[in-house]
């Protein structure tokens, strides 16, 4: 059996991040060394509380959870989206957390954990990139201990979900996204294009809520909340698709493309612009551009099954 991949997760839990955490904690392929929290889907204190609550609910091992940036690097950021519910996690009524957060700031936790690691660690970034940008700015050599960053953010060819051209995680803190994506570190970007491809139906979500495992029941409840909010007969596994890409990269189609994060104050602020031209010789690019690996599509049935198996609820899927 292959040794589990050491990973750190950066989250703004949030229902979609909760689904991702459920998958990461259930997968034997990943060795979760810690979870860092940042403001985004919810205010920072709610993100921390949701993360600890989720870990309690699934009786997870004592994984460190550290609180980080409570606002973007430069700007006020965006209001928390209403779609996640009053508590940011589908209003499932889970008990208050019993476990406690780590006693150090998330950026310091990341620095120490990466520095102490015997091998480079993979970062799974599912939130605005404020924590990661501050880490790279404060400790530029720490990149030597990062194997790869998997980043949920941006949009490749699909429309935005926050502005016509922008996705929430990048729009919330475009400067942080620019710092991380222009860092030169290996990045796999999981934009809205594949994010929108992996669906769970309302009936499947109801079946999940009847499962034996707490993780499957919580996942079903969160997905049902989104179905009801949007008035649709399906919802998405969302950020969990990024985690699925780490676990099973063969299920993802990627392409290397130069990317630029638009930092202007106009309607395109926060857009991820990719140079998709066939011929670029002789044509100048203005601004900062760095090539990243972009996930353009995923094998949706494969990732649906991966998540259901990890949660011990394959029978819930209508295959």
């Amino acid at each position: 059996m292959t040794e589990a991949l050491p990973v750190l997760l950066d989250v703004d839990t949030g229902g979609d991040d909760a689904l991702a955490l459920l998958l990461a904690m259930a997968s034997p392929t990943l060795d979760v060394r810690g979870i860092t929290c940042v403001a985004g889907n919810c205010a920072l204190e709610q993100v921390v509380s949701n993360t600890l609550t989720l870990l309690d609910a699934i009786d997870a091992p004592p994984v460190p959870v550290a609180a980080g940036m409570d606002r973007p690097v430069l700007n006020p950021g965006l209001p928390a989206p209403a779609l996640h519910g009053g508590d940011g996690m589908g209003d499932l009524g889970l008990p208050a957390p019993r476990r406690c957060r780590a006693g150090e700031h998330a950026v310091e936790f990341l620095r120490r954990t990466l520095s102490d690691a015997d091998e480079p660690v993979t970062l799974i970034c599912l939130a605005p990139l404020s924590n990661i940008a501050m880490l790279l700015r404060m400790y530029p050599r720490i990149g030597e201990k990062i194997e790869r960053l998997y980043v949920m953010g941006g949009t490749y060819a699909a429309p935005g979900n926050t502005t016509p051209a922008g996705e929430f995680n990048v729009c919330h803190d475009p400067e942080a996204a620019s710092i991380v994506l222009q860092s030169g570190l290996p990045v796999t970007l999981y934009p809205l294009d594949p994010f929108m491809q992996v669906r769970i139906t309302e009936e499947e979500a109801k079946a999940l809520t009847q499962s034996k495992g707490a993780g499957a029941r919580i996942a079903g409840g969160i997905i049902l909340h989104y179905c009801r909010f949007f008035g649709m007969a399906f919802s998405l596994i969302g950020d969990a698709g990024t985690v699925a890409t780490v676990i099973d990269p063969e299920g993802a189609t990627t392409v290397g493309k130069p990317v630029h994060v638009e930092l202007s104050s106009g309607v395109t602020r926060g857009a991820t612009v990719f140079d998709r031209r066939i011929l670029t010789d002789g044509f100048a690019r203005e601004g900062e551009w760095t090539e990243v690996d972009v996930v353009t599509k995923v094998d949706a049935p494969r990732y649906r099954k991966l998540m259901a198996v990890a949660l011990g609820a394959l029978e819930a899927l209508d295959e």
Side-chain angles (χ1 to χ4, degrees):
M1 183 177 177
T2 329
E3 190 174 342
L5 180 73
V7 299
L8 291 160
L9 286 96
D10 189 62
V11 300
D12 59 341
T13 320
D16 50 351
D17 295 65
L19 295 175
L21 283 170
L22 288 171
L23 176 56
M25 296 305 301
S27 174
T29 305
L30 304 182
D31 172 16
V32 179
R33 302 281 180 90
I35 301 167
T36 52
C37 298
V38 65
N41 283 334
C42 314
L44 179 63
E45 286 303 310
Q46 187 71 61
V47 172
V48 174
S49 177
N50 288 350
T51 304
L52 296 171
T53 292
L54 189 71
L55 295 175
D56 275 347
I58 60 173
D59 197 23
V63 177
V65 174
M69 299 287 288
D70 66 354
R71 68 199 70 187
V73 172
L74 290 180
N75 292 291
L78 302 172
L83 65 95
H84 299 296
D87 67 357
M89 206 163 60
D91 296 317
L92 298 184
L94 297 175
R98 299 181 302 275
R99 63 185 73 198
C100 299
R101 72 186 72 184
E104 58 190 330
H105 192 279
V107 173
E108 286 302 316
F109 171 80
L110 288 167
R111 180 204 61 78
R112 179 179 58 79
T113 304
L114 289 167
S115 297
D116 292 348
D118 295 330
E119 57 186 323
V121 176
T122 295
L123 269 57
I124 305 176
C125 309
L126 307 174
L129 289 163
S130 317
N131 283 341
I132 311 303
M134 290 299 292
L135 173 73
L136 297 180
R137 278 290 191 256
M138 292 175 68
Y139 306 105
R141 294 189 61 182
I142 202 67
E144 299 170 4
K145 302 301 293 283
I146 297 174
E147 179 68 25
R148 177 170 284 272
L149 296 109
Y150 285 82
V151 175
M152 192 284 118
T155 178
Y156 181 63
N161 64 357
T162 300
T163 68
E167 175 275 332
F168 177 81
N169 285 346
V170 177
C171 286
H172 186 79
D173 195 346
E175 282 75 19
S178 181
I179 289 169
V180 174
L181 297 183
Q182 303 298 331
S183 67
L185 295 172
V187 172
T188 295
L189 190 68
Y190 190 91
L192 282 180
D193 307 65
F195 184 99
M196 302 298 291
Q197 293 169 11
V198 191
R199 299 176 174 183
I200 301 289
T201 69
E202 185 176 16
E203 291 305 311
E204 289 170 334
K206 289 177 181 175
L208 283 171
T209 64
Q210 302 304 311
S211 300
K212 292 182 180 179
R217 294 196 302 271
I218 293 168
I222 290 170
I223 293 167
L224 277 179
H225 166 80
Y226 289 132
C227 288
R228 291 163 183 157
F229 182 87
F230 290 107
M232 302 184 73
F234 68 87
S235 188
L236 310 170
I237 70 167
D239 288 6
T242 312
V243 176
T245 302
V246 181
I247 295 169
D248 181 13
E250 296 301 315
T253 299
T254 61
V255 60
K257 291 291 180 183
V259 64
H260 166 79
V261 179
E262 181 56 53
L263 300 179
S264 70
S265 59
V267 295
T268 58
R269 176 171 168 78
T272 44
V273 182
F274 295 90
D275 192 341
R276 293 183 283 162
R277 293 176 293 181
I278 297 172
L279 299 175
T280 57
D281 290 347
F283 294 91
R285 294 192 191 105
E286 294 185 4
E288 300 274 344
W289 295 82
T290 301
E291 184 162 309
V292 299
D293 294 323
V294 189
V295 180
T296 57
K297 63 180 179 179
V298 295
D299 185 337
R302 182 168 173 157
Y303 282 0
R304 276 165 41 88
K305 183 176 180 180
L306 184 155
M307 184 156 185
V309 168
L311 296 176
L314 183 58
E315 71 284 350
L317 294 190
D318 182 17
E319 295 292 357

